[in-house]
């Protein structure tokens, strides 16, 4: 039976780094159909507890109303230099207010003007005045996006230090399919959050290998022996390691879909044997391996080629041990850092320390199923991080994202 993971690969929708809290985010909306996604972008940013103000080019009002954006951002929306009651909308004051300016959608016309100093509306004047980081998310039809003049304008804008939020491939408003769709609002938020994430370079240059999820050991073509692991902890580690700048390989057993940070290399596997093979192969080129998967310890001695029929009153299964991936890597490790997980239900510390020594680990993360809020499927965890040198750090109950951040920070501080 083929079981494969459906991996949603997007820039960190589930990652939710709280680095946008309190930031002043100025959004510049230009006249592209993707402007219909900006109310959603504003809502996501407000949810992250950022302060959001919006400037629109006059033509953008044809695509989304200033009222919608004003209600969602909780601020007036600026389209002209002068309000109806003759107040000046100062481009200088708006630029000074912003911690970041995000131009989304950025049409070919606006890109061209930005690249060449054009300044015929409030948004462009604000862009020219801005000293804060500027991000731009192009949105246009595929041939416009591919045109040499657009490419040159994008390159020019990047050479000025502006940050490109790359367009996606997909169906366009014209009905054509290609590159040019504005990045999804979630991806824009994730790129901004990563930019402001204080630990974004903590694991730069490091190759990190992570195993996650359960394994399924097939009995016959339709049945398997498995476990309740959701893969959430391992995926949180993979996403966080990528946000910290590492090159990440994730070997993932069969789970429900996860949002996985773009750039993480995902190998979907089913059985312990497949996980063993892929992980062993990757280990040679790894700096840090963290084995968080709930690997089956036993598999059926033989897999029945056809569905097992209900012929007898009882059925005895003969099981054979699987490869212990962690122990095998421990036996062959050279310069790599090797971190294991231990899931225990009794004598937790003693058992975890035993595994740390027996499997030649540098550290082990102890999960106790006795702790409320810890373990399978839930979004929180409570762990103890134990090093080979005897350091023991209890990490209080928090989200798996935060636990992942703490574990990777401890690994960095202790060993790198
Ligand atoms: N592990 C592994 N390969 C296996 C079994 C376990 O790589 N075949 C890894 C897990 O990913 C985890 C660690 O070993 O990092 C400990 O797993 P755990 O199930 O707690 O312990 P076991 O070694 O299987 O021992 P036991 O089941 O007896 O507690």
């Amino acid at each position: 039976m083929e079981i494969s993971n459906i991996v949603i690969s997007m820039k960190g929708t589930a990652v939710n780094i709280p680095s946008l809290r309190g930031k002043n985010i100025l959004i510049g909306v230009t006249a592209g159909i993707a402007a219909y996604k900006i109310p959603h972008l504003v809502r996501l940013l407000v949810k992250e507890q950022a302060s959001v103000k919006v400037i629109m080019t006059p033509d953008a009002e044809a695509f989304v109303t200033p009222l919608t954006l004003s209600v969602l951002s909780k601020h007036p929306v600026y389209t002209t230099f002068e309000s109806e009651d003759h107040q000046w909308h100062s481009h200088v004051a708006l630029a000074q207010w912003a911690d970041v300016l995000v131009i989304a959608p950025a049409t070919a016309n606006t890109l061209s003007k930005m690249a060449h100093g054009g300044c015929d509306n409030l948004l462009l004047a604000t862009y020219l005045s801005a000293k804060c980081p500027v991000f731009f998310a192009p949105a246009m039809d595929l041939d416009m996006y591919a045109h040499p003049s657009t490419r040159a304008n994008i390159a020019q804008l990047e050479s000025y230090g502006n940050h490109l939020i790359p367009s996606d491939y997909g169906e366009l408003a014209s009905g054509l399919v290609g590159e040019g769709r504005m990045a999804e609002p979630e991806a824009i938020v994730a790129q901004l959050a990563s930019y402001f994430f204080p630990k974004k370079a903590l694991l730069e240059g490091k190759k990190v290998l992570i195993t996650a999820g359960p394994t399924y050991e097939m009995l016959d073509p339709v049945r398997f022996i498995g476990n309740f692991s959701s893969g959430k902890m391992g995926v949180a580690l993979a996403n966080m390691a990528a946000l910290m700048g590492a090159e990440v390989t994730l070997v993932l057993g069969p789970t429900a879909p996860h949002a996985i940070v773009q750039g993480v290399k995902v190998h979907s596997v089913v059985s312990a044997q497949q996980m063993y093979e892929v992980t062993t192969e990757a280990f040679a080129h790894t700096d840090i391996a963290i084995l968080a998967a709930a690997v089956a310890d036993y598999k059926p001695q033989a897999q029945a080629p056809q569905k097992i029929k209900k012929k007898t009153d009882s059925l005895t299964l003969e099981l054979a041990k699987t490869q212990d991936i962690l122990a095998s890597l421990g036996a062959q490790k050279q310069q790599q850092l090797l971190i294991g997980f231990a899931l225990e239900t009794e004598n937790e510390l003693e058992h975890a320390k035993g595994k740390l020594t027996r499997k030649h680990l540098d550290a082990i993360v102890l999960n106790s199923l006795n702790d409320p809020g810890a373990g399978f499927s839930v979004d929180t965890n409570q762990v103890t991080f134990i090093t080979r040198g005897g350091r023991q750090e209890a990490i209080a109950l928090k989200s798996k994202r935060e636990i992942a951040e703490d574990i990777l920070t401890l690994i960095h501080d202790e060993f790198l």
Side-chain angles (χ1 to χ4, degrees):
M1 182 162 83
E2 247 323 282
I3 301 165
S4 64
N5 275 291
I6 309 155
V7 173
I8 304 170
S9 187
M10 55 177 85
K11 288 181 184 164
T13 55
V15 180
N16 191 20
I17 331 163
S19 52
L20 296 178
R21 191 174 300 150
K23 289 272 179 293
N24 290 341
I25 301 181
L26 184 58
I27 301 181
V29 184
T30 74
I33 181 62
Y36 85 91
K37 294 182 182 173
I38 302 307
H40 183 46
L41 175 65
V42 172
R43 258 190 68 72
L44 291 175
L45 290 169
V46 169
K47 268 198 201 160
E48 297 288 327
Q49 297 175 29
S51 292
V52 182
K53 289 187 181 178
V54 179
I55 301 177
M56 301 175 78
T57 59
D59 289 346
E61 288 189 46
F63 295 93
V64 60
T65 74
L67 182 63
T68 305
L69 293 168
S70 169
V71 169
L72 293 172
S73 67
K74 303 178 176 73
H75 284 289
V77 168
Y78 308 94
T79 44
T80 52
F81 286 96
E82 187 184 340
S83 70
E84 277 172 11
D85 59 350
H86 309 297
Q87 302 278 338
W88 181 40
H89 294 154
S90 163
H91 53 286
V92 178
L94 283 165
Q96 281 176 344
W97 174 85
D99 292 317
V100 56
L101 170 60
V102 185
I103 300 177
T107 57
N109 183 37
T110 293
L111 291 181
S112 167
K113 288 180 186 170
M114 285 167 68
H116 298 98
C119 189
D120 63 357
N121 61 39
L122 178 65
L123 174 58
L124 289 164
T126 309
Y127 162 68
L128 284 176
S129 311
K131 291 200 189 121
C132 63
V134 177
F135 286 74
F136 62 103
M140 63 201 77
D141 211 54
L142 75 166
D143 293 317
M144 295 170 77
Y145 192 58
H147 196 280
S149 60
T150 308
R151 308 311 310 164
N153 288 336
I154 289 174
Q156 187 76 43
L157 287 172
E158 286 189 285
S159 78
Y160 298 153
N162 299 307
H163 304 274
L164 170 67
I165 302 175
S167 298
D168 284 341
Y169 179 94
E171 196 180 336
L172 300 157
S174 62
L176 299 174
V177 174
E179 214 176 338
R181 277 170 70 98
M182 189 183 79
E184 290 303 322
E186 287 83 356
I188 296 175
V189 173
Q191 189 166 336
L192 295 176
S194 323
Y195 179 84
F196 286 107
F197 186 41
K199 294 180 183 171
K200 66 180 173 186
L202 206 68
L203 297 178
E204 209 162 73
K206 297 289 174 210
K207 292 195 171 109
V208 175
L209 169 66
I210 289 167
T211 66
T215 63
Y216 287 178
E217 310 304 324
M218 304 307 295
L219 279 163
D220 67 16
V222 294
R223 302 182 180 100
F224 59 85
I225 298 176
N227 61 67
F228 288 122
S229 170
S230 62
K232 285 181 179 174
M233 190 64 241
V235 170
L237 281 162
N239 282 341
M240 187 50 68
L243 289 167
M244 289 179 170
E247 198 181 305
V248 182
T249 301
L250 172 65
V251 186
L252 183 58
T255 63
H258 288 280
I260 293 178
V261 169
Q262 207 174 54
V264 172
K265 209 159 145 209
V266 183
H267 294 277
S268 292
V269 296
V270 177
S271 66
Q273 182 60 27
Q274 287 170 354
M275 188 174 275
Y276 169 76
E277 285 165 15
V278 177
T279 307
T280 306
E281 161 95 26
F283 188 61
H285 323 283
T286 292
D287 298 306
I288 306 166
I290 308 175
L291 273 57
V295 188
D297 290 330
Y298 292 92
K299 62 179 177 187
Q301 182 74 261
Q303 182 186 330
Q306 304 301 333
K307 189 179 169 205
I308 299 168
K309 289 305 216 184
K310 185 171 61 209
K311 284 187 189 138
T312 51
D313 284 344
S314 68
L315 178 70
T316 306
L317 293 175
E318 199 168 334
L319 303 177
K321 235 184 186 166
T322 58
Q323 281 274 6
D324 189 320
I325 307 166
L326 186 59
S328 155
L329 299 188
Q332 58 180 276
K333 91 183 179 84
Q334 295 178 345
Q335 82 299 340
Q336 297 97 332
L337 281 174
L338 184 59
I339 322 291
F341 268 70
L343 179 66
E344 307 295 344
T345 54
E346 52 167 358
N347 300 332
E348 290 97 337
L349 275 174
E350 188 191 324
H351 281 145
K353 285 178 184 167
K355 283 175 193 171
L356 174 72
T357 316
R358 231 176 19 254
K359 300 194 189 188
H360 306 287
L361 310 182
D362 296 290
I364 195 155
V365 181
L366 166 63
N367 262 306
S368 169
L369 268 193
N370 295 326
D371 294 325
F376 290 134
S377 299
V378 292
D379 290 322
T380 53
N381 207 356
Q382 182 173 355
V383 303
T384 308
F385 183 81
I386 308 161
T387 68
R388 62 175 139 79
R391 180 170 175 192
Q392 205 169 299
E393 293 285 341
I395 304 177
L397 182 72
K398 42 179 119 168
S399 72
K400 286 184 175 169
R401 185 206 64 73
E402 290 168 301
I403 297 273
E405 185 179 336
D406 285 359
I407 290 173
L408 292 166
T409 305
L410 280 166
I411 292 172
H412 171 269
D413 295 350
E414 182 76 18
F415 301 109
L416 302 178

